[in-house]
């Protein structure tokens, strides 16, 4: 390997080491000012971290995830997930009229997501995105059009 390629490889390895320990805001800052080969190397390093040691980075850089999908995409392929999501949707609808009604199905849906990762159906990064989506459903509610479409979509 020539000296230029060796230096480029060492620079990339240094960047990988840095992304292992840098905070999310430090990485975001570096990404915002980087350009050219440095930006491409940084994207590659972050993607590597997302796929290995730091899947949580996906919440800051979702555009770097391969094979991205949503809960509604997965529900048609996995009946257990669809059932858990149906329970969640039904309990959220009931809570609109009776705020004391308990939220049901959230834990089941979360458990299904974890099991899909355990079975190798989804990656840790994909799990992080799905959990984030599920948390937003719990926090701010769901868009009926999206979830209703997903519930009524023929298998």
């Amino acid at each position: 390997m020539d000296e230029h390629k060796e230096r480029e490889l060492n620079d990339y390895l240094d960047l990988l080491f840095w992304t292992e320990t840098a905070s999310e805001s430090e990485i975001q800052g570096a990404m915002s000012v980087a350009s050219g080969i440095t930006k491409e190397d940084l994207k590659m390093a972050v993607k590597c971290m997302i796929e290995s040691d730091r899947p949580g980075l996906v919440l800051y850089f979702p555009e770097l995830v391969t094979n991205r999908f949503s809960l509604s995409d997965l529900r048609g392929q996995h009946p257990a997930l669809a059932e858990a999501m149906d329970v969640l949707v039904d309990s959220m609808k009931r809570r609109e009229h009776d705020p004391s009604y308990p939220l049901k199905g959230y834990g089941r849906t979360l458990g299904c997501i974890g099991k899909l990762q355990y079975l190798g159906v989804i990656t840790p990064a994909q799990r992080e995105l799905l959990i984030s989506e599920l948390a937003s459903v719990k926090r701010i509610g769901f868009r009926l059009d999206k979830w209703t479409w997903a519930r009524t979509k023929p298998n």
Side-chain angles (χ1 to χ4, degrees), residues 38-96:
T38 303
K39 187 161 191 148
E40 292 308 310
D41 280 354
L42 185 54
K43 284 180 182 179
M44 194 166 42
V46 170
K47 189 173 181 177
C48 182
M49 289 297 114
I50 286 172
E51 294 172 356
S52 60
D53 299 339
R54 298 185 66 186
L57 284 175
V58 72
L59 300 175
Y60 300 89
F61 304 99
E63 69 279 3
L64 298 179
V65 174
T66 55
N67 299 325
R68 192 170 169 193
F69 44 78
S70 69
L71 285 168
S72 61
D73 296 333
L74 271 183
R75 78 177 322 282
Q77 302 167 11
H78 303 284
L81 180 61
E83 183 181 323
M85 288 173 66
D86 287 347
V87 171
L88 178 60
V89 169
D90 290 339
S91 75
M92 290 181 81
K93 283 181 182 177
R94 287 184 183 197
R95 285 172 62 107
E96 288 178 4

Side-chain angles (χ1 to χ4, degrees), residues 19-44:
T19 58
E20 285 180 327
T21 58
S23 71
E24 292 84 2
S25 61
E26 289 174 320
I27 296 171
Q28 285 177 316
M31 191 75 78
S32 70
V33 297
S35 62
I37 190 76
T38 303
K39 187 161 191 148
E40 292 308 310
D41 280 354
L42 185 54
K43 284 180 182 179
M44 194 166 42

